[in-house]
Amino acid sequence: MSAESLPISPAAFAEAIKELPLPVLYAKVSEIRNSMAHLHRSNQELRTFINESCDTDTEKQELEGYIKENEDVAVSMLERIELLKTEVENRGQRWIELEDPEKNKENGEGNTDGNGTVAEGTEEVRNPAAGNGDRNQDHDQDQEGVYL
């Protein structure tokens, strides 16, 4: 990250998401989870490089600093997901998010596609903003919008 640019504060983020439609809030969660997966993968690659290829302590310390920075960014991303959850619940909606894909990897479960969405052949999850649970096939075909 550039020294001149800073991410918006959690308070500013919470304020900014107040006007977003519910599907956009859920899309933002998916985007953040995807970014976190990339950070975790990057850290794994950096650790492998440190263990297998680093020649100097200076180089190792520099790379470990990058790993720490990535971990700090991941923590702030989790905070943003919590802010998104709070916003959804403050609107009187039930928070629906599948298990954290990183947690599923650790537990050996493979039901997600890495972005927190259910993989094909498991179960259907409806967008909570799409209305009640009644399924009317003709009505569903007429619906426009984003389905997450």
Side-chain angles (χ1 to χ4, degrees), residues 13 29 32-33 36 39-40 71-85 95 97 100-102:
F13 181 81
V29 172
I32 291 171
R33 291 270 184 223
M36 289 175 66
L39 283 173
H40 292 304
E71 289 170 349
D72 292 344
V73 169
V75 167
S76 74
M77 289 178 169
L78 283 173
E79 290 171 357
R80 289 177 188 239
I81 290 173
E82 284 301 313
L83 291 170
L84 289 159
K85 176 183 177 183
W95 176 252
E97 186 186 7
D100 180 351
E102 293 301 313

Side-chain angles (χ1 to χ4, degrees), residues 1-132:
M1 177 179 297
S2 170
E4 296 86 37
S5 67
L6 296 173
I8 65 172
S9 70
F13 181 81
E15 188 62 33
I17 63 176
K18 286 185 186 289
E19 301 300 319
L20 296 176
L22 201 56
V24 175
L25 297 177
Y26 279 100
K28 189 66 179 169
V29 172
S30 181
E31 177 186 318
I32 291 171
R33 291 270 184 223
N34 184 50
S35 295
M36 289 175 66
H38 287 286
L39 283 173
H40 292 304
R41 187 190 73 237
S42 175
N43 278 357
Q44 289 173 341
E45 291 171 358
L46 284 168
R47 285 185 181 101
T48 299
F49 183 80
I50 289 170
N51 293 332
E52 296 176 0
S53 303
C54 267
D55 296 326
T56 67
D57 286 338
T58 304
E59 189 177 50
K60 286 180 184 180
Q61 288 175 348
E62 181 179 355
L63 294 175
E64 287 170 357
Y66 296 144
I67 290 170
K68 173 69 171 117
E69 185 178 330
N70 284 349
E71 289 170 349
D72 292 344
V73 169
V75 167
S76 74
M77 289 178 169
L78 283 173
E79 290 171 357
R80 289 177 188 239
I81 290 173
E82 284 301 313
L83 291 170
L84 289 159
K85 176 183 177 183
T86 299
E87 177 60 28
V88 168
E89 290 174 341
N90 285 344
R91 294 180 186 188
Q93 300 292 319
R94 189 169 67 109
W95 176 252
I96 298 174
E97 186 186 7
L98 300 175
E99 295 257 346
D100 180 351
E102 293 301 313
K103 195 183 297 184
N104 286 341
K105 275 191 226 172
E106 293 168 9
N107 295 335
E109 298 172 13
N111 290 350
T112 64
D113 67 1
N115 292 324
T117 54
V118 175
E120 187 175 334
T122 53
E123 66 178 283
E124 178 182 356
V125 176
R126 288 196 44 149
N127 177 357
N132 64 24

Side-chain angles (χ1 to χ4, degrees), residues 123-140:
E123 66 178 283
E124 178 182 356
V125 176
R126 288 196 44 149
N127 177 357
N132 64 24
D134 295 334
R135 302 283 310 182
N136 180 335
Q137 194 169 14
D138 294 332
H139 179 71
D140 287 346

